[in-house]
Amino acid sequence: QVHLVVSGGGSVQPGGSLTLSCAASERIAGTECMAWFRKTPGKERERVAVAYTDGDTNFDDSVKGRFSILLDKAKGTLTLTMNALEPEDTGEYYCATNRGWDCRGGSVRYWSQGTQVTVSS
């Protein structure tokens, strides 16, 4: 059973920064993408950012320019650096991955437990 373990999260004031990290308990054969999702109050779960093993990345419009993502394929780790945080970024964040290139929410097979991010003054 593969486990994704997240660390990071916490509380920060608006404009602050946080870093989330995700590590797979073992290498998942054929994995070509890892992604971060979040569930914010009153909204459906959304994909925040995704990173592919070919170096490509994609971000939700709401976080572009503020968040960055780094995938280390060799180590099986994924990092999300969140800058200029806003209260709207508050929510439960999840790391996810899948075999192949499809890391859309309805397709990913492996999920981490959530980690809470709270942005408040």
Side-chain angles (χ1 to χ4, degrees):
Q1 182 78 21
V2 175
H3 297 284
L4 298 177
V5 180
V6 296
S7 60
S11 296
V12 66
Q13 293 186 341
S17 299
L18 284 173
T19 297
L20 305 181
S21 297
C22 174
S25 60
E26 60 184 82
R27 179 172 171 74
I28 304 172
T31 295
E32 304 293 350
C33 59
M34 294 185 75
W36 289 98
F37 291 78
R38 69 184 178 191
K39 179 67 174 71
T40 56
K43 294 181 66 176
E44 296 292 323
R45 182 186 64 195
E46 61 182 349
R47 192 176 71 183
V48 175
V50 58
Y52 299 93
T53 54
D54 64 358
D56 194 16
T57 59
N58 199 0
F59 296 88
D60 184 81
D61 286 345
S62 65
V63 306
K64 281 181 180 177
R66 300 188 296 121
F67 290 13
S68 61
I69 189 170
L70 180 64
L71 169 62
D72 189 325
K73 181 181 180 181
K75 296 181 179 179
T77 59
L78 184 71
T79 302
L80 183 70
T81 301
M82 304 181 290
N83 297 315
L85 282 162
E86 304 169 351
E88 292 74 22
D89 296 316
T90 295
E92 195 86 359
Y93 284 69
Y94 302 84
C95 171
T97 190
N98 202 21
R99 290 191 172 93
W101 297 89
D102 188 354
C103 273
R104 292 172 296 175
S107 302
V108 292
R109 177 177 177 181
Y110 304 98
W111 291 91
S112 71
Q113 79 282 5
T115 186
Q116 179 66 32
V117 170
T118 301
V119 184
S120 174
S121 56

